[in-house]
């Protein structure tokens, strides 16, 4: 399913300018509902500048109105002249985040060994050689690599990671882990998300504008 060019910035605009539910916004932008909740509560690591999807020809006002009138309605992406589609090839990662890739790879290897090197490469935008070096601890910087959640680092989205985990689990004949983060105390979950985002923001350069793959930023 096509997604906005800048999902977090688009979500910020939809939160501020429409009566759409967090679930509808998360579905349209390809985000986790807690990410939308964090945007609404201003708990993102940096202040997001909203991006109008109507002006970007990614969404029409008619679609927004349909969504506002029906909480179960799922917004449909417009195929406007400015819509940019991602081509095949490795995922682009901004220079400011490339140093985080080994940490994200190590986290996946430790927590989801069922995911293949090819799938990890697509998720994080790296090579099999780098992944193999981290697996066998021959990477040149192995002493400084600390496993960190690639979603928190901004290297991939929660939806993409969940899909990769589910696909790998199915291929391996095991039960995929269930995302239980929406269970229990909502405020505690948001506090945890806030702490993770704050930790991830320490490496962000103030005043630098980031693109879609590095948000929670913008």
């Amino acid at each position: 399913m096509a997604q906005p060019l800048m999902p977090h910035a688009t979500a910020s605009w939809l939160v501020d300018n429409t009566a759409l539910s967090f679930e509808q916004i998360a579905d349209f932008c390809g985000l986790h509902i807690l990410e939308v909740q964090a945007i609404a509560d201003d708990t993102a690591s940096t202040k997001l500048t909203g991006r109008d999807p109507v002006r970007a020809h990614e969404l029409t006002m008619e679609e927004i109105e349909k969504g506002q009138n029906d909480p179960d309605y799922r917004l449909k992406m417009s195929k406007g002249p400015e819509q940019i589609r991602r081509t095949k090839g490795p995922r682009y990662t901004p220079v400011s985040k490339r140093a985080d890739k080994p940490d994200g790879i190590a986290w996946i290897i430790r927590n989801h060994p069922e995911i293949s090197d090819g799938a990890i490469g697509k998720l994080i935008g790296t090579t099999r050689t780098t992944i193999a070096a981290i697996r066998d601890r021959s990477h040149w910087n192995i002493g400084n690599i600390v496993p960190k959640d690639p979603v928190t680092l901004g290297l991939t989205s929660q939806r993409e990671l969940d899909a990769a985990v589910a696909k790998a689990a199915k291929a391996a004949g095991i039960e995929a882990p269930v995302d239980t983060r929406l269970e229990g105390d909502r405020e505690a979950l948001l506090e945890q998300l806030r702490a993770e985002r704050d930790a991830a923001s320490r490496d962000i350069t103030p005043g630098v504008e980031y693109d879609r793959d590095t948000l929670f930023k913008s």
Side-chain angles (χ1 to χ4, degrees):
M1 178 180 175
Q3 296 175 1
L5 181 62
M6 299 177 67
H8 290 84
T10 300
S12 178
W13 189 91
L14 291 173
V15 166
D16 290 339
N17 295 278
T18 74
L20 295 169
S21 70
F22 291 162
E23 184 177 358
Q24 287 173 309
I25 295 173
D27 181 76
F28 178 72
C29 295
L31 303 175
H32 194 285
I33 192 171
L34 283 182
E35 293 180 283
V36 179
Q37 175 73 64
I39 290 172
D41 292 346
D42 284 332
T43 59
S45 59
T46 58
K47 179 64 177 176
L48 292 173
T49 300
R51 180 175 186 268
D52 186 347
V54 178
R55 293 187 61 184
H57 302 286
E58 295 174 337
L59 191 62
T60 64
M61 286 305 303
E62 289 75 14
E63 277 294 294
I64 292 176
E65 290 172 0
K66 288 179 182 178
Q68 292 178 146
N69 293 330
D70 180 5
D72 295 325
Y73 184 76
R74 292 295 174 260
L75 303 175
K76 296 179 177 61
M77 173 77 75
S78 300
K79 296 181 180 179
E82 295 180 16
Q83 182 65 27
I84 299 174
R85 313 232 179 248
R86 183 181 165 194
T87 58
K88 292 183 178 180
R91 175 192 297 274
Y92 171 75
T93 304
V95 175
S96 62
K97 301 301 296 179
R98 290 176 190 173
D100 293 332
K101 284 186 177 184
D103 293 344
I105 295 169
W107 187 93
I108 294 176
I109 290 174
R110 185 184 70 180
N111 293 279
H112 298 290
E114 70 277 11
I115 298 182
S116 68
D117 289 359
I120 295 175
K122 290 180 181 179
L123 274 175
I124 296 186
T126 188
T127 66
R128 291 176 183 268
T129 300
T130 299
I131 298 170
I134 294 174
R135 279 189 185 278
D136 63 23
R137 302 190 63 80
S138 64
H139 190 278
W140 66 271
N141 195 35
I142 193 65
N144 295 315
I145 294 177
V146 179
K148 296 178 183 176
D149 186 341
V151 175
T152 300
L153 293 175
L155 298 172
T156 188
S157 71
Q158 187 64 51
R159 176 169 295 187
E160 290 173 316
L161 178 59
D162 289 346
V165 170
K167 183 177 180 179
K170 182 178 180 180
I174 60 178
E175 185 176 351
V178 178
D179 184 355
T180 59
R181 289 178 304 165
L182 289 178
E183 298 177 1
D185 184 8
R186 184 184 186 86
E187 291 304 318
L189 290 172
L190 289 174
E191 185 63 30
Q192 179 183 350
L193 179 61
R194 183 183 298 111
E196 291 175 352
R197 294 299 181 187
D198 288 343
S201 70
R202 292 169 187 164
D203 294 329
I204 298 174
T205 303
V208 174
E209 183 176 344
Y210 297 88
D211 68 11
R212 65 170 294 179
D213 288 321
T214 54
L215 296 170
F216 258 164
K217 314 166 178 83
S218 184

